[in-house]
PDB file of all heavy atoms in Angstrom:
ATOM      1  N   GLN A  20      82.195  95.423 114.002  1.00 94.00           N
ATOM      2  CA  GLN A  20      81.451  96.676 113.931  1.00 94.00           C
ATOM      3  C   GLN A  20      81.440  97.387 115.277  1.00 94.00           C
ATOM      4  O   GLN A  20      81.601  98.610 115.344  1.00 94.00           O
ATOM      5  CB  GLN A  20      80.008  96.404 113.468  1.00 94.00           C
ATOM      6  CG  GLN A  20      79.889  95.906 112.039  1.00 94.00           C
ATOM      7  CD  GLN A  20      80.299  96.941 111.021  1.00 94.00           C
ATOM      8  OE1 GLN A  20      79.879  98.085 111.084  1.00 94.00           O
ATOM      9  NE2 GLN A  20      81.152  96.551 110.078  1.00 94.00           N
ATOM     10  N   ARG A  21      81.282  96.634 116.348  1.00 96.00           N
ATOM     11  CA  ARG A  21      81.282  97.246 117.688  1.00 96.00           C
ATOM     12  C   ARG A  21      82.641  97.858 118.022  1.00 96.00           C
ATOM     13  O   ARG A  21      82.723  98.803 118.806  1.00 96.00           O
ATOM     14  CB  ARG A  21      80.898  96.207 118.746  1.00 96.00           C
ATOM     15  CG  ARG A  21      79.435  95.800 118.705  1.00 96.00           C
ATOM     16  CD  ARG A  21      79.041  95.041 119.960  1.00 96.00           C
ATOM     17  NE  ARG A  21      79.788  93.800 120.115  1.00 96.00           N
ATOM     18  CZ  ARG A  21      79.387  92.628 119.635  1.00 96.00           C
ATOM     19  NH1 ARG A  21      78.247  92.540 118.956  1.00 96.00           N
ATOM     20  NH2 ARG A  21      80.104  91.531 119.819  1.00 96.00           N
ATOM     21  N   SER A  22      83.693  97.310 117.449  1.00 95.00           N
ATOM     22  CA  SER A  22      85.043  97.827 117.673  1.00 95.00           C
ATOM     23  C   SER A  22      85.454  98.857 116.630  1.00 95.00           C
ATOM     24  O   SER A  22      86.621  99.279 116.599  1.00 95.00           O
ATOM     25  CB  SER A  22      86.049  96.666 117.669  1.00 95.00           C
ATOM     26  OG  SER A  22      85.754  95.727 118.689  1.00 95.00           O
ATOM     27  N   HIS A  23      84.516  99.245 115.765  1.00 95.00           N
ATOM     28  CA  HIS A  23      84.762 100.228 114.709  1.00 95.00           C
ATOM     29  C   HIS A  23      85.845  99.754 113.735  1.00 95.00           C
ATOM     30  O   HIS A  23      86.667 100.531 113.254  1.00 95.00           O
ATOM     31  CB  HIS A  23      85.140 101.584 115.308  1.00 95.00           C
ATOM     32  CG  HIS A  23      84.142 102.110 116.285  1.00 95.00           C
ATOM     33  ND1 HIS A  23      82.898 102.582 115.919  1.00 95.00           N
ATOM     34  CD2 HIS A  23      84.201 102.196 117.642  1.00 95.00           C
ATOM     35  CE1 HIS A  23      82.243 102.960 116.996  1.00 95.00           C
ATOM     36  NE2 HIS A  23      82.994 102.742 118.058  1.00 95.00           N
ATOM     37  N   LEU A  24      85.828  98.462 113.445  1.00 94.00           N
ATOM     38  CA  LEU A  24      86.737  97.862 112.474  1.00 94.00           C
ATOM     39  C   LEU A  24      85.932  97.377 111.273  1.00 94.00           C
ATOM     40  O   LEU A  24      84.755  97.030 111.395  1.00 94.00           O
ATOM     41  CB  LEU A  24      87.507  96.695 113.091  1.00 94.00           C
ATOM     42  CG  LEU A  24      88.433  97.043 114.258  1.00 94.00           C
ATOM     43  CD1 LEU A  24      88.990  95.765 114.889  1.00 94.00           C
ATOM     44  CD2 LEU A  24      89.567  97.948 113.804  1.00 94.00           C
ATOM     45  N   ARG A  25      86.577  97.342 110.129  1.00 94.00           N
ATOM     46  CA  ARG A  25      85.915  96.935 108.894  1.00 94.00           C
ATOM     47  C   ARG A  25      86.272  95.499 108.544  1.00 94.00           C
ATOM     48  O   ARG A  25      87.407  95.066 108.733  1.00 94.00           O
ATOM     49  CB  ARG A  25      86.328  97.851 107.738  1.00 94.00           C
ATOM     50  CG  ARG A  25      85.897  99.288 107.886  1.00 94.00           C
ATOM     51  CD  ARG A  25      86.516 100.129 106.792  1.00 94.00           C
ATOM     52  NE  ARG A  25      86.221  99.579 105.462  1.00 94.00           N
ATOM     53  CZ  ARG A  25      87.026  99.700 104.423  1.00 94.00           C
ATOM     54  NH1 ARG A  25      88.191 100.319 104.560  1.00 94.00           N
ATOM     55  NH2 ARG A  25      86.686  99.194 103.258  1.00 94.00           N
ATOM     56  N   PHE A  26      85.292  94.788 107.990  1.00 96.00           N
ATOM     57  CA  PHE A  26      85.559  93.472 107.411  1.00 96.00           C
ATOM     58  C   PHE A  26      86.057  93.728 105.997  1.00 96.00           C
ATOM     59  O   PHE A  26      85.277  93.868 105.054  1.00 96.00           O
ATOM     60  CB  PHE A  26      84.285  92.630 107.403  1.00 96.00           C
ATOM     61  CG  PHE A  26      84.534  91.179 107.089  1.00 96.00           C
ATOM     62  CD1 PHE A  26      84.779  90.274 108.101  1.00 96.00           C
ATOM     63  CD2 PHE A  26      84.548  90.722 105.769  1.00 96.00           C
ATOM     64  CE1 PHE A  26      85.013  88.925 107.813  1.00 96.00           C
ATOM     65  CE2 PHE A  26      84.791  89.394 105.477  1.00 96.00           C
ATOM     66  CZ  PHE A  26      85.021  88.490 106.506  1.00 96.00           C
ATOM     67  N   ASP A  27      87.383  93.808 105.853  1.00 96.00           N
ATOM     68  CA  ASP A  27      87.971  94.391 104.640  1.00 96.00           C
ATOM     69  C   ASP A  27      88.927  93.455 103.915  1.00 96.00           C
ATOM     70  O   ASP A  27      89.842  93.919 103.227  1.00 96.00           O
ATOM     71  CB  ASP A  27      88.703  95.683 105.000  1.00 96.00           C
ATOM     72  CG  ASP A  27      89.824  95.455 106.019  1.00 96.00           C
ATOM     73  OD1 ASP A  27      89.922  94.350 106.573  1.00 96.00           O
ATOM     74  OD2 ASP A  27      90.610  96.402 106.241  1.00 96.00           O
ATOM     75  N   LEU A  28      88.729  92.149 104.043  1.00 97.00           N
ATOM     76  CA  LEU A  28      89.683  91.204 103.466  1.00 97.00           C
ATOM     77  C   LEU A  28      89.504  91.073 101.955  1.00 97.00           C
ATOM     78  O   LEU A  28      88.476  90.599 101.470  1.00 97.00           O
ATOM     79  CB  LEU A  28      89.529  89.828 104.117  1.00 97.00           C
ATOM     80  CG  LEU A  28      90.615  88.819 103.748  1.00 97.00           C
ATOM     81  CD1 LEU A  28      91.966  89.260 104.300  1.00 97.00           C
ATOM     82  CD2 LEU A  28      90.264  87.428 104.271  1.00 97.00           C
ATOM     83  N   HIS A  29      90.518  91.504 101.210  1.00 98.00           N
ATOM     84  CA  HIS A  29      90.595  91.287  99.768  1.00 98.00           C
ATOM     85  C   HIS A  29      91.651  90.214  99.503  1.00 98.00           C
ATOM     86  O   HIS A  29      92.633  90.103 100.245  1.00 98.00           O
ATOM     87  CB  HIS A  29      90.987  92.564  99.036  1.00 98.00           C
ATOM     88  CG  HIS A  29      89.938  93.623  99.064  1.00 98.00           C
ATOM     89  ND1 HIS A  29      89.655  94.373 100.197  1.00 98.00           N
ATOM     90  CD2 HIS A  29      89.098  94.083  98.088  1.00 98.00           C
ATOM     91  CE1 HIS A  29      88.693  95.240  99.915  1.00 98.00           C
ATOM     92  NE2 HIS A  29      88.337  95.086  98.657  1.00 98.00           N
ATOM     93  N   ALA A  30      91.475  89.460  98.445  1.00 98.00           N
ATOM     94  CA  ALA A  30      92.428  88.390  98.130  1.00 98.00           C
ATOM     95  C   ALA A  30      92.678  88.309  96.635  1.00 98.00           C
ATOM     96  O   ALA A  30      91.777  88.541  95.809  1.00 98.00           O
ATOM     97  CB  ALA A  30      91.915  87.040  98.632  1.00 98.00           C
ATOM     98  N   LEU A  31      93.916  87.996  96.293  1.00 98.00           N
ATOM     99  CA  LEU A  31      94.302  87.625  94.929  1.00 98.00           C
ATOM    100  C   LEU A  31      94.669  86.150  94.952  1.00 98.00           C
ATOM    101  O   LEU A  31      95.540  85.742  95.729  1.00 98.00           O
ATOM    102  CB  LEU A  31      95.490  88.464  94.451  1.00 98.00           C
ATOM    103  CG  LEU A  31      95.221  89.946  94.203  1.00 98.00           C
ATOM    104  CD1 LEU A  31      96.528  90.699  94.023  1.00 98.00           C
ATOM    105  CD2 LEU A  31      94.318  90.141  92.987  1.00 98.00           C
ATOM    106  N   ILE A  32      93.998  85.355  94.136  1.00 98.00           N
ATOM    107  CA  ILE A  32      94.184  83.907  94.142  1.00 98.00           C
ATOM    108  C   ILE A  32      94.585  83.470  92.734  1.00 98.00           C
ATOM    109  O   ILE A  32      93.872  83.738  91.761  1.00 98.00           O
ATOM    110  CB  ILE A  32      92.897  83.177  94.589  1.00 98.00           C
ATOM    111  CG1 ILE A  32      92.498  83.652  95.988  1.00 98.00           C
ATOM    112  CG2 ILE A  32      93.096  81.667  94.552  1.00 98.00           C
ATOM    113  CD1 ILE A  32      91.207  83.025  96.503  1.00 98.00           C
ATOM    114  N   GLY A  33      95.741  82.814  92.627  1.00 98.00           N
ATOM    115  CA  GLY A  33      96.245  82.431  91.317  1.00 98.00           C
ATOM    116  C   GLY A  33      96.768  81.013  91.286  1.00 98.00           C
ATOM    117  O   GLY A  33      97.142  80.443  92.319  1.00 98.00           O
ATOM    118  N   GLY A  34      96.824  80.448  90.099  1.00 97.00           N
ATOM    119  CA  GLY A  34      97.343  79.099  89.914  1.00 97.00           C
ATOM    120  C   GLY A  34      96.772  78.466  88.657  1.00 97.00           C
ATOM    121  O   GLY A  34      96.199  79.140  87.797  1.00 97.00           O
ATOM    122  N   GLN A  35      96.901  77.151  88.588  1.00 97.00           N
ATOM    123  CA  GLN A  35      96.405  76.412  87.429  1.00 97.00           C
ATOM    124  C   GLN A  35      96.104  74.980  87.844  1.00 97.00           C
ATOM    125  O   GLN A  35      96.976  74.288  88.369  1.00 97.00           O
ATOM    126  CB  GLN A  35      97.438  76.432  86.298  1.00 97.00           C
ATOM    127  CG  GLN A  35      96.968  75.765  85.012  1.00 97.00           C
ATOM    128  CD  GLN A  35      97.997  75.875  83.901  1.00 97.00           C
ATOM    129  OE1 GLN A  35      99.139  76.260  84.130  1.00 97.00           O
ATOM    130  NE2 GLN A  35      97.605  75.533  82.676  1.00 97.00           N
ATOM    131  N   LEU A  36      94.864  74.560  87.605  1.00 95.00           N
ATOM    132  CA  LEU A  36      94.470  73.178  87.862  1.00 95.00           C
ATOM    133  C   LEU A  36      94.345  72.433  86.530  1.00 95.00           C
ATOM    134  O   LEU A  36      94.616  72.995  85.463  1.00 95.00           O
ATOM    135  CB  LEU A  36      93.171  73.133  88.658  1.00 95.00           C
ATOM    136  CG  LEU A  36      93.198  73.841  90.026  1.00 95.00           C
ATOM    137  CD1 LEU A  36      91.925  73.557  90.807  1.00 95.00           C
ATOM    138  CD2 LEU A  36      94.427  73.471  90.845  1.00 95.00           C
ATOM    139  N   ASP A  37      93.929  71.169  86.586  1.00 93.00           N
ATOM    140  CA  ASP A  37      94.029  70.286  85.423  1.00 93.00           C
ATOM    141  C   ASP A  37      93.340  70.826  84.171  1.00 93.00           C
ATOM    142  O   ASP A  37      93.870  70.709  83.064  1.00 93.00           O
ATOM    143  CB  ASP A  37      93.445  68.909  85.764  1.00 93.00           C
ATOM    144  CG  ASP A  37      94.349  68.120  86.704  1.00 93.00           C
ATOM    145  OD1 ASP A  37      95.569  68.357  86.675  1.00 93.00           O
ATOM    146  OD2 ASP A  37      93.831  67.300  87.481  1.00 93.00           O
ATOM    147  N   GLU A  38      92.157  71.394  84.328  1.00 95.00           N
ATOM    148  CA  GLU A  38      91.384  71.808  83.162  1.00 95.00           C
ATOM    149  C   GLU A  38      91.516  73.293  82.842  1.00 95.00           C
ATOM    150  O   GLU A  38      90.852  73.784  81.916  1.00 95.00           O
ATOM    151  CB  GLU A  38      89.911  71.425  83.345  1.00 95.00           C
ATOM    152  CG  GLU A  38      89.693  69.912  83.369  1.00 95.00           C
ATOM    153  CD  GLU A  38      88.221  69.529  83.414  1.00 95.00           C
ATOM    154  OE1 GLU A  38      87.365  70.406  83.141  1.00 95.00           O
ATOM    155  OE2 GLU A  38      87.927  68.370  83.745  1.00 95.00           O
ATOM    156  N   ASP A  39      92.342  74.008  83.586  1.00 96.00           N
ATOM    157  CA  ASP A  39      92.632  75.395  83.228  1.00 96.00           C
ATOM    158  C   ASP A  39      93.568  75.410  82.031  1.00 96.00           C
ATOM    159  O   ASP A  39      94.644  74.803  82.068  1.00 96.00           O
ATOM    160  CB  ASP A  39      93.291  76.126  84.405  1.00 96.00           C
ATOM    161  CG  ASP A  39      92.327  76.369  85.551  1.00 96.00           C
ATOM    162  OD1 ASP A  39      91.196  76.808  85.289  1.00 96.00           O
ATOM    163  OD2 ASP A  39      92.723  76.126  86.707  1.00 96.00           O
ATOM    164  N   GLU A  40      93.188  76.095  80.982  1.00 94.00           N
ATOM    165  CA  GLU A  40      94.012  76.127  79.774  1.00 94.00           C
ATOM    166  C   GLU A  40      95.327  76.853  79.995  1.00 94.00           C
ATOM    167  O   GLU A  40      96.319  76.575  79.324  1.00 94.00           O
ATOM    168  CB  GLU A  40      93.231  76.783  78.632  1.00 94.00           C
ATOM    169  CG  GLU A  40      92.011  75.977  78.182  1.00 94.00           C
ATOM    170  CD  GLU A  40      91.309  76.625  77.016  1.00 94.00           C
ATOM    171  OE1 GLU A  40      91.791  77.694  76.552  1.00 94.00           O
ATOM    172  OE2 GLU A  40      90.299  76.084  76.552  1.00 94.00           O
ATOM    173  N   ALA A  41      95.350  77.787  80.920  1.00 95.00           N
ATOM    174  CA  ALA A  41      96.546  78.572  81.215  1.00 95.00           C
ATOM    175  C   ALA A  41      96.481  79.006  82.668  1.00 95.00           C
ATOM    176  O   ALA A  41      95.423  78.908  83.309  1.00 95.00           O
ATOM    177  CB  ALA A  41      96.622  79.785  80.297  1.00 95.00           C
ATOM    178  N   PRO A  42      97.586  79.458  83.234  1.00 97.00           N
ATOM    179  CA  PRO A  42      97.534  79.994  84.592  1.00 97.00           C
ATOM    180  C   PRO A  42      96.535  81.146  84.662  1.00 97.00           C
ATOM    181  O   PRO A  42      96.418  81.949  83.736  1.00 97.00           O
ATOM    182  CB  PRO A  42      98.969  80.492  84.832  1.00 97.00           C
ATOM    183  CG  PRO A  42      99.809  79.690  83.897  1.00 97.00           C
ATOM    184  CD  PRO A  42      98.958  79.471  82.684  1.00 97.00           C
ATOM    185  N   CYS A  43      95.812  81.228  85.775  1.00 97.00           N
ATOM    186  CA  CYS A  43      94.781  82.246  85.910  1.00 97.00           C
ATOM    187  C   CYS A  43      94.836  82.865  87.304  1.00 97.00           C
ATOM    188  O   CYS A  43      95.480  82.331  88.219  1.00 97.00           O
ATOM    189  CB  CYS A  43      93.392  81.676  85.618  1.00 97.00           C
ATOM    190  SG  CYS A  43      93.044  80.103  86.433  1.00 97.00           S
ATOM    191  N   MET A  44      94.165  83.998  87.445  1.00 98.00           N
ATOM    192  CA  MET A  44      94.176  84.701  88.718  1.00 98.00           C
ATOM    193  C   MET A  44      92.850  85.431  88.900  1.00 98.00           C
ATOM    194  O   MET A  44      92.256  85.932  87.935  1.00 98.00           O
ATOM    195  CB  MET A  44      95.343  85.683  88.788  1.00 98.00           C
ATOM    196  CG  MET A  44      95.495  86.375  90.144  1.00 98.00           C
ATOM    197  SD  MET A  44      97.050  87.286  90.294  1.00 98.00           S
ATOM    198  CE  MET A  44      98.219  85.923  90.365  1.00 98.00           C
ATOM    199  N   TYR A  45      92.413  85.505  90.173  1.00 98.00           N
ATOM    200  CA  TYR A  45      91.142  86.120  90.507  1.00 98.00           C
ATOM    201  C   TYR A  45      91.327  87.094  91.667  1.00 98.00           C
ATOM    202  O   TYR A  45      92.138  86.855  92.569  1.00 98.00           O
ATOM    203  CB  TYR A  45      90.125  85.056  90.920  1.00 98.00           C
ATOM    204  CG  TYR A  45      89.801  84.052  89.840  1.00 98.00           C
ATOM    205  CD1 TYR A  45      90.607  82.929  89.651  1.00 98.00           C
ATOM    206  CD2 TYR A  45      88.696  84.214  89.019  1.00 98.00           C
ATOM    207  CE1 TYR A  45      90.320  82.007  88.661  1.00 98.00           C
ATOM    208  CE2 TYR A  45      88.394  83.283  88.027  1.00 98.00           C
ATOM    209  CZ  TYR A  45      89.213  82.176  87.861  1.00 98.00           C
ATOM    210  OH  TYR A  45      88.922  81.262  86.885  1.00 98.00           O
ATOM    211  N   LEU A  46      90.542  88.163  91.629  1.00 98.00           N
ATOM    212  CA  LEU A  46      90.427  89.081  92.758  1.00 98.00           C
ATOM    213  C   LEU A  46      89.116  88.779  93.461  1.00 98.00           C
ATOM    214  O   LEU A  46      88.049  88.823  92.837  1.00 98.00           O
ATOM    215  CB  LEU A  46      90.452  90.534  92.272  1.00 98.00           C
ATOM    216  CG  LEU A  46      90.063  91.617  93.278  1.00 98.00           C
ATOM    217  CD1 LEU A  46      90.997  91.622  94.483  1.00 98.00           C
ATOM    218  CD2 LEU A  46      90.037  92.989  92.612  1.00 98.00           C
ATOM    219  N   VAL A  47      89.198  88.467  94.763  1.00 98.00           N
ATOM    220  CA  VAL A  47      88.013  88.139  95.557  1.00 98.00           C
ATOM    221  C   VAL A  47      87.770  89.263  96.558  1.00 98.00           C
ATOM    222  O   VAL A  47      88.659  89.621  97.337  1.00 98.00           O
ATOM    223  CB  VAL A  47      88.174  86.799  96.296  1.00 98.00           C
ATOM    224  CG1 VAL A  47      86.867  86.441  97.018  1.00 98.00           C
ATOM    225  CG2 VAL A  47      88.571  85.688  95.327  1.00 98.00           C
ATOM    226  N   TYR A  48      86.562  89.804  96.542  1.00 98.00           N
ATOM    227  CA  TYR A  48      86.196  90.917  97.407  1.00 98.00           C
ATOM    228  C   TYR A  48      85.730  90.416  98.776  1.00 98.00           C
ATOM    229  O   TYR A  48      85.409  89.219  98.936  1.00 98.00           O
ATOM    230  CB  TYR A  48      85.101  91.747  96.747  1.00 98.00           C
ATOM    231  CG  TYR A  48      85.550  92.438  95.483  1.00 98.00           C
ATOM    232  CD1 TYR A  48      85.300  91.873  94.225  1.00 98.00           C
ATOM    233  CD2 TYR A  48      86.244  93.646  95.532  1.00 98.00           C
ATOM    234  CE1 TYR A  48      85.711  92.503  93.057  1.00 98.00           C
ATOM    235  CE2 TYR A  48      86.662  94.280  94.371  1.00 98.00           C
ATOM    236  CZ  TYR A  48      86.393  93.700  93.142  1.00 98.00           C
ATOM    237  OH  TYR A  48      86.812  94.312  91.993  1.00 98.00           O
ATOM    238  N   PRO A  49      85.652  91.308  99.778  1.00 97.00           N
ATOM    239  CA  PRO A  49      85.218  90.878 101.121  1.00 97.00           C
ATOM    240  C   PRO A  49      83.821  90.263 101.141  1.00 97.00           C
ATOM    241  O   PRO A  49      83.518  89.445 102.027  1.00 97.00           O
ATOM    242  CB  PRO A  49      85.251  92.183 101.940  1.00 97.00           C
ATOM    243  CG  PRO A  49      86.228  93.051 101.233  1.00 97.00           C
ATOM    244  CD  PRO A  49      86.090  92.726  99.781  1.00 97.00           C
ATOM    245  N   GLU A  50      82.972  90.626 100.170  1.00 96.00           N
ATOM    246  CA  GLU A  50      81.620  90.076 100.123  1.00 96.00           C
ATOM    247  C   GLU A  50      81.579  88.657  99.557  1.00 96.00           C
ATOM    248  O   GLU A  50      80.543  87.995  99.603  1.00 96.00           O
ATOM    249  CB  GLU A  50      80.723  90.996  99.286  1.00 96.00           C
ATOM    250  CG  GLU A  50      80.546  92.386  99.874  1.00 96.00           C
ATOM    251  CD  GLU A  50      81.729  93.306  99.642  1.00 96.00           C
ATOM    252  OE1 GLU A  50      82.616  92.954  98.819  1.00 96.00           O
ATOM    253  OE2 GLU A  50      81.778  94.386 100.261  1.00 96.00           O
ATOM    254  N   GLY A  51      82.708  88.196  98.975  1.00 97.00           N
ATOM    255  CA  GLY A  51      82.769  86.858  98.417  1.00 97.00           C
ATOM    256  C   GLY A  51      82.590  86.815  96.913  1.00 97.00           C
ATOM    257  O   GLY A  51      82.741  85.744  96.309  1.00 97.00           O
ATOM    258  N   ASN A  52      82.242  87.938  96.283  1.00 97.00           N
ATOM    259  CA  ASN A  52      82.179  87.955  94.814  1.00 97.00           C
ATOM    260  C   ASN A  52      83.579  88.148  94.248  1.00 97.00           C
ATOM    261  O   ASN A  52      84.492  88.576  94.945  1.00 97.00           O
ATOM    262  CB  ASN A  52      81.234  89.054  94.318  1.00 97.00           C
ATOM    263  CG  ASN A  52      81.581  90.418  94.886  1.00 97.00           C
ATOM    264  OD1 ASN A  52      82.064  90.539  96.004  1.00 97.00           O
ATOM    265  ND2 ASN A  52      81.343  91.459  94.123  1.00 97.00           N
ATOM    266  N   TRP A  53      83.750  87.821  92.974  1.00 98.00           N
ATOM    267  CA  TRP A  53      85.100  87.841  92.420  1.00 98.00           C
ATOM    268  C   TRP A  53      85.086  88.235  90.945  1.00 98.00           C
ATOM    269  O   TRP A  53      84.052  88.180  90.280  1.00 98.00           O
ATOM    270  CB  TRP A  53      85.794  86.486  92.586  1.00 98.00           C
ATOM    271  CG  TRP A  53      85.002  85.269  92.164  1.00 98.00           C
ATOM    272  CD1 TRP A  53      84.268  84.458  92.977  1.00 98.00           C
ATOM    273  CD2 TRP A  53      84.866  84.723  90.836  1.00 98.00           C
ATOM    274  NE1 TRP A  53      83.691  83.439  92.239  1.00 98.00           N
ATOM    275  CE2 TRP A  53      84.043  83.578  90.934  1.00 98.00           C
ATOM    276  CE3 TRP A  53      85.365  85.101  89.586  1.00 98.00           C
ATOM    277  CZ2 TRP A  53      83.708  82.811  89.825  1.00 98.00           C
ATOM    278  CZ3 TRP A  53      85.035  84.336  88.474  1.00 98.00           C
ATOM    279  CH2 TRP A  53      84.218  83.197  88.606  1.00 98.00           C
TER     280      TRP A  53
END
């Protein structure tokens, strides 16, 4: 904030673990909600 920069990290996270019925993907916002 002091450098006039934004905490703006967005992420797309995808894959499939053992109990996922199918491959899945999530959008995660900078606040941590998805």
Side-chain angles (χ1 to χ4, degrees):
Q20 293 294 312
R21 289 194 298 269
S22 300
H23 305 289
L24 297 173
R25 295 172 54 210
F26 192 91
D27 60 351
L28 189 66
H29 291 74
L31 291 168
I32 302 178
Q35 184 177 11
L36 301 188
D37 288 333
E38 294 186 15
D39 290 314
E40 294 183 1
C43 47
M44 185 169 290
Y45 298 85
L46 168 61
V47 185
Y48 294 97
E50 297 78 12
N52 54 328
W53 48 263

